[in-house]
Amino acid sequence: MAATRATTVDAPLAAPSAARQLLSDYTELTKPKVQSLLLLTTVTTMLVAGSPSIGLILLTCLGGYLAAGGAGAVNHWYDRDIDLAMARTANRPIPSGRVSPRAALTFGIVLAVASFVLMSLTINLLAASLSFSGFLGYVFVYTVWLKRRTPQNIVIGGAAGAVPPLVGWAAVEGSLSGTAIYLFAIVFFWTPPHFWALSLLMKEEYAKVGVPMLPTVRGEAETRRQILLYTVLLYAVTQLPYCAGGMGEIYLASSLALGGLFIVGAVRLYRRADRQAALKLYLFSLAYLALLFAAMVADAKL
């Protein structure tokens, strides 16, 4: 009798647990950790561009999340073979068998279409088109074309991750300006040193599955040199908004200080060549982008 009662009680509990796991898996397909910085650059750009309503900000973030989430799901689908071979990714929803490849691909396409429809109807066609271009760039340019073919994959393909500032600006203004292009360029030049610092930490895993990331193809020394080069280029690019009159002294001071710290970290990595220096630079790069875009808002609003 006791065993029967326990079975009766436990059976209804299995369904909510399975539902939570399914929700967690489909959320993971959208790469929510990556999305946080994309949404940050979107929202901060909107605040720099003007005084958007809360409703407009929420709609733009939802549309952007759907587009980027759709791209993430398709990326999971396409990379399921190499994900299965790497310990870090073997438990992802598709290689683990919890989500079928067809379901993930369908989910990604549906999200991208939903994003375009939502933004076209509630914001404007330019913002919708730019957001959809980010989806296409990440899926076809980075994931399908470049990732497995060239160590420059993150340089060229990184343009997809630099689209959110354009989307945010277009959502507020209905058009693009020079300042919006500069913000795109900042994220574009930030991406290589950010990602290459991470790739130094994951060199063995990329080599195992044959993905030609810079450290596996041209070595760690060249990767550290390229990180330093792009960090200096980033420092120069971040001065363009001020030089063009789009930003003021608060932004200038912040960009100089943050850029200087970024260069110091890149020089340290170039000289020390150890995992701790790579990890510190990677973590700092995350804070750098967030603080730089926050400084833009402070400059525009104060």
Side-chain angles (χ1 to χ4, degrees), residues 150-233:
T150 170
Q152 293 300 306
N153 46 23
I154 199 62
V155 178
I156 305 169
V163 167
L166 300 180
V167 175
W169 196 281
V172 175
E173 292 292 320
S175 61
L176 295 178
S177 70
T179 300
I181 302 300
Y182 294 144
L183 302 192
F184 168 89
I186 287 172
V187 181
F188 179 82
F189 281 96
W190 166 85
T191 302
H194 162 73
F195 196 86
W196 284 333
L198 176 63
S199 71
L200 285 170
L201 301 171
M202 300 168 52
K203 176 185 174 183
E204 289 76 14
E205 290 199 67
Y206 284 129
K208 178 182 177 181
V209 296
V211 175
M213 291 300 178
L214 194 61
T216 67
V217 175
R218 300 181 64 182
E220 292 191 18
E222 177 61 17
T223 301
R224 295 193 304 271
R225 191 181 76 84
Q226 290 289 328
I227 287 174
L228 180 56
L229 172 63
Y230 270 87
T231 303
V232 173
L233 288 173

Side-chain angles (χ1 to χ4, degrees), residues 50-67:
S51 299
S53 66
I54 296 297
L56 179 59
I57 292 175
L58 292 176
L59 284 170
T60 306
C61 287
L62 176 58
Y65 190 97
L66 291 174

